[in-house]
Amino acid sequence: METSASEGVPYVVPPGGETVDPVSDDADSAYGDVESETASLTSSIMAGRFENGRRYHAYQDGLYMFPDDEQEQDRLDIKYASLQLVLSDTVTFAPLEDPQQILDIGTGTGIWAIDAGEKFPGATVTATDLSPIQPTWVPPNVRFEIDDAEQNWTWPPNHFDLVHMRTMTGCIRDWDSLYAQAFRHTKPGGYIELQEMDYMGVIQPTSRNPGTSFVTWCVEQGHAGQKAGINLRTSISFMTSSLEKAGFVDCKVLEFKLPIGPWPKQQRLRNAGLLQLSAMLEGIEGLSLRLYTYYAGWSLDELKVLLAKVRTELRDPGCHAYWPVIVVYARKPEGTKATS
Ligand SMILES: C[S@@+](CC[C@H](N)C(=O)[O-])C[C@H]1O[C@@H](n2cnc3c(N)ncnc32)[C@H](O)[C@@H]1O
């Protein structure tokens, strides 16, 4: 420990690090207001920002494409229920043995984290999001943090038995850097698991309705995403090659179809489709508003016309649309300990 010459106050020089620029002495005199400044920052994050009558998170620098208001929270929870039917209620496919630390990135309403906390009572589940929309009453081993996953992670390296992300496609600017951080903070022998949906929905060949407006919506949504600097597409090769680049090994891939509408014969898929249809009818406007009107320059009226056509198509029992769902899990090799 070194000592500051002027005041004899001990301070630690970070190894090889640069000092952080301090505010000027004038601003420093306002230091007594730190509590009110924190309170005002917290309240602005809690309040969010509004656009087109919808609320978005107000986390500084965080991307905001999709709202976080109650309507969107309902969509997330209904979508979760529909996915769980397709995934046979599996919380994680990674072969975990007595996990101690689990991380859920972009937890949304925290529903997966709560399920994981109940499934693994011996583990601490840390779940993060840009939006403070998680419930207060949760299992004692689940805790939520407001955090931007694209900033530097402050947890210890080699810490998590599982790093989990579900439906984060369209939210992340730099996947390589995110996976590199996930690798660093996963325990050797621990896992990363991605449960993703490709935003390019599919009309399967049995469909009696060509789903033209739905396909147009997916394509235009993708173009708007590109303008916003994000990719709304995902694929097995993208996911596995990105994980391998970060250092993960033994990628295991599972593929599912999440129907939109109760058109499948099998009861479980039919129920999943019914829920997903409801999530889409409820949520398609929230998914589109910012991307279409802000990034792609559509007028609100143009968007509303397209959305009305998409809703009509998806309600048609002859429209056999589904989302491709891809689950990939991979392991951090034993013996690859990151140094701090
Ligand atoms: C589509 S939702 C998925 C929520 C949840 N994983 C689920 O499957 O229900 C994406 C979530 O990721 C959050 N998110 C987006 N970018 C993020 C970031 N950089 N760091 C942390 N959370 C982020 C959003 O606020 C949103 O709640």
Side-chain angles (χ1 to χ4, degrees):
M1 190 173 292
E2 297 182 25
T3 303
S4 126
S6 56
E7 297 175 20
V9 181
Y11 63 89
V12 175
V13 178
E18 290 182 5
T19 53
V20 177
D21 285 341
V23 290
S24 68
D25 285 355
D26 285 354
D28 211 23
S29 66
Y31 211 66
D33 290 342
V34 73
E35 277 169 16
S36 70
E37 207 177 323
T38 307
S40 114
L41 191 59
T42 309
S43 84
S44 66
I45 286 178
M46 297 304 283
R49 64 186 120 198
F50 288 82
E51 206 175 276
N52 286 318
R54 302 296 301 265
R55 190 190 66 195
Y56 295 79
H57 77 75
Y59 196 99
Q60 211 185 355
D61 297 335
L63 269 182
Y64 68 104
M65 296 292 146
F66 311 120
D68 70 357
D69 50 21
E70 281 180 20
Q71 200 178 338
E72 172 67 1
Q73 292 172 40
D74 285 348
R75 183 189 76 82
L76 289 178
D77 286 345
I78 302 169
K79 183 191 73 177
Y80 184 82
S82 69
L83 255 178
Q84 281 314 91
L85 285 168
V86 167
L87 302 181
S88 303
D89 288 325
T90 309
V91 171
T92 168
F93 292 88
L96 301 182
E97 284 172 21
D98 190 24
Q100 304 297 303
Q101 296 289 343
I102 294 176
L103 176 65
D104 184 29
I105 294 292
T107 195
T109 60
I111 191 163
W112 182 90
I114 293 169
D115 278 357
E118 281 170 357
K119 183 169 169 63
F120 301 109
T124 299
V125 182
T126 305
T128 69
D129 205 286
L130 298 170
S131 286
I133 55 171
Q134 298 73 37
T136 325
W137 294 95
V138 291
N141 58 334
V142 177
R143 59 164 197 243
F144 296 117
E145 292 178 12
I146 301 305
D147 187 66
D148 182 351
E150 297 213 73
Q151 302 294 322
N152 280 342
W153 294 14
T154 51
W155 301 288
N158 314 300
H159 186 61
F160 294 107
D161 298 273
L162 175 68
V163 174
H164 168 269
M165 299 174 212
R166 181 181 273 203
T167 62
M168 292 299 286
T169 298
C171 295
I172 299 299
R173 282 174 277 217
D174 185 350
W175 287 104
D176 284 350
S177 142
L178 186 74
Y179 292 147
Q181 295 215 70
F183 185 81
R184 179 177 156 72
H185 293 269
T186 300
K187 276 182 194 163
Y191 288 85
I192 185 168
E193 181 163 338
L194 318 174
Q195 305 181 338
E196 288 301 326
M197 281 161 62
D198 184 4
Y199 266 83
M200 190 65 219
V202 176
I203 304 289
Q204 74 165 26
T206 56
S207 191
R208 298 187 298 280
N209 183 323
T212 318
S213 301
F214 173 64
V215 172
T216 302
W217 179 78
C218 294
V219 170
E220 292 302 326
Q221 178 96 336
H223 288 158
Q226 278 168 358
K227 288 185 182 155
I230 52 162
N231 188 358
L232 289 163
R233 302 297 315 270
T234 194
S235 65
I236 293 172
S237 61
F238 173 73
M239 289 160 77
T240 54
S241 62
S242 310
L243 291 183
E244 282 163 1
K245 208 187 308 173
F248 290 101
V249 295
D250 287 344
C251 286
K252 299 281 184 301
V253 178
L254 298 143
E255 286 181 89
F256 303 89
K257 290 175 181 171
L258 174 58
I260 313 172
W263 54 265
K265 198 164 159 190
Q266 199 206 348
Q267 190 62 46
R268 202 176 170 88
L269 285 182
R270 195 176 172 76
N271 291 344
L274 193 58
L275 288 170
Q276 184 53 209
L277 175 62
S278 151
M280 282 297 285
L281 297 177
E282 170 97 6
I284 191 168
E285 190 174 271
L287 288 174
S288 326
L289 272 171
R290 185 157 168 81
L291 280 170
Y292 275 80
T293 63
Y294 183 80
Y295 288 106
W298 284 45
S299 73
L300 211 46
D301 285 345
E302 286 168 330
L303 175 62
K304 286 193 168 169
V305 170
L306 175 65
L307 296 186
K309 287 184 188 160
V310 177
R311 288 193 187 97
T312 306
E313 264 174 19
L314 294 180
R315 276 201 189 95
D316 176 359
C319 185
H320 300 173
Y322 70 85
W323 299 115
V325 175
I326 305 168
V327 175
V328 179
Y329 62 89
R331 191 167 45 81
K332 174 166 170 173
E334 289 80 0
T336 43
K337 220 170 182 183
T339 49
S340 51

